[in-house]
Amino acid sequence: MHRFLLLGSLWLLVTPPALSIFQRPTGSPAPPRLQYLLEPLHATVHTQRGATATLPCVLRALPRNYRVKWSKVEPANYRESIIIITNGLYHKNYGPLSPRVRLRHSHRYDASLTITDVALEDEGRYRCQLVNGLEDESVSLTLHLEGVVFPYQPSNGRYKFNYHEAKRACEQQDSRLATYQQLYKAWTEGLDWCNAGWILDGTVHYPIINSREPCGGRLLLPGVRTYGARDKQKDRFDAFCFTSALQGSQVYFIRGHLNFKEAGQACRNHGAAIAKVGQLYSAWKFSQLDRCDGGWLADGSVRYPITTPRERCGGLPDPGVRSFGFPSKELRTYGTYCFAAK
């Protein structure tokens, strides 16, 4: 169960996340034993962006007049969206996933769901439900993408985004708003950030490893501190974005003394595009890109990725993507980071 400490209008989370909506609370009666569906051997399927992933759902028997319905829980509103319905002979696809999903159907008992060209928004909880009158039953699975969470704010300073602007800003940087689970995992891996930011479900948080006065005070425990749900139109914060590895791509640095316009042209001259912030974080996290050189990115910021911290590269003790902020676009001081599909 969650436990919170109240400090003024700030709530501090001091325990791990609660059970998902597919998990039964402690003390509730055990669900009936599955009669028609096999329990999956692994409840989590790990994949990468751009790959093909299959979520297993296999029947042990075929009841009369049955249907199998696949659905996904949307983190932004906790509602289930139907993906596909089949009666074993025919099927129909629904929603935005429709062009990229199919039933594996490797044998007559197989109702497994295959997703092609996996995207960031595909991560999450899925349910395979056998619909058979009074004997409905289901299994749930999680599709997990290895990724990285990063805080993001625009060039005009912190706390400028309402929820919809934060969501759009992450998408423009080859990422999406992080889920609470993704932010919590990033905190356990060392993310320490004092500015509060939106996440996908419309709540606002910030992760603290080292308690300090400007970030809620020294007496509060480390944790993912939360302001709870906020007005998506009126309230303004930063954003926490999530990105993942992208198959068949490369981020690389071009040295030079370039202004922002020249930086973009230098990338285009190599058949590439100036890299987005999410692409640089992905290259740092998954390709171990490590450079001391500040370079322009597509949003007009200047950053550089460090996987092996050293004194002459900012002097900070931890790996990370360092930032020079948003200098004048006319400044000819930096090189550029380019993104190219292999």
Side-chain angles (χ1 to χ4, degrees), residues 234-253:
K234 297 178 181 179
D235 290 328
R236 295 187 174 272
F237 297 94
D238 291 346
F240 286 105
C241 305
F242 171 84
T243 192
S244 182
L246 184 60
Q247 292 185 337
S249 64
Q250 179 186 18
V251 173
Y252 60 92
F253 181 74

Side-chain angles (χ1 to χ4, degrees), residues 15-26:
T15 58
L19 297 174
S20 77
I21 64 172
F22 285 132
Q23 294 173 290
R24 59 188 178 92
T26 303

Side-chain angles (χ1 to χ4, degrees), residues 16-184:
L19 297 174
S20 77
I21 64 172
F22 285 132
Q23 294 173 290
R24 59 188 178 92
T26 303
S28 63
R33 182 178 177 275
L34 293 175
Q35 180 178 355
Y36 294 106
L37 294 177
L38 291 174
E39 284 282 0
L41 288 176
H42 303 287
T44 300
V45 174
H46 297 267
T47 188
Q48 291 184 324
R49 184 162 47 147
T52 296
T54 297
L55 298 168
C57 184
V58 177
L59 284 69
R60 68 172 80 237
L62 300 177
R64 298 185 61 183
N65 302 319
Y66 77 95
R67 290 179 298 154
V68 170
K69 178 176 71 174
W70 275 99
S71 56
K72 182 178 186 293
V73 174
E74 301 299 340
N77 53 27
Y78 298 105
R79 296 179 180 176
E80 289 192 39
S81 298
I82 297 175
I83 300 170
I84 195 168
I85 295 177
T86 180
N87 64 0
L89 296 175
Y90 306 99
H91 69 273
K92 184 174 182 180
N93 293 14
Y94 297 86
L97 266 175
S98 179
R100 297 188 289 113
V101 296
R102 57 180 172 81
L103 294 171
R104 183 174 63 180
H105 206 60
S106 58
H107 52 79
R108 63 195 297 250
Y109 298 98
D110 185 13
S112 303
L113 182 73
T114 295
I115 305 173
T116 61
D117 194 20
V118 171
L120 291 174
E121 59 268 22
D122 297 342
E123 179 170 272
R125 301 284 286 179
Y126 291 77
R127 183 161 72 142
C128 176
Q129 181 181 14
L130 177 76
V131 181
N132 182 38
L134 298 177
E135 301 179 68
D136 296 357
E137 54 188 50
S138 65
V139 296
S140 63
L141 302 104
T142 298
L143 185 66
H144 175 73
L145 279 72
E146 287 296 328
V148 57
V149 172
F150 61 94
Y152 188 76
Q153 58 183 223
S155 59
N156 58 342
R158 73 172 195 161
Y159 294 176
K160 301 296 183 182
F161 294 135
N162 67 24
Y163 172 82
H164 306 288
E165 292 164 344
K167 184 173 182 291
R168 185 162 56 249
C170 288
E171 291 167 355
Q172 289 171 346
Q173 296 309 315
D174 192 50
S175 59
R176 66 179 301 210
L177 278 176
T179 64
Y180 180 80
Q181 288 76 15
Q182 290 163 348
L183 181 63
Y184 185 89

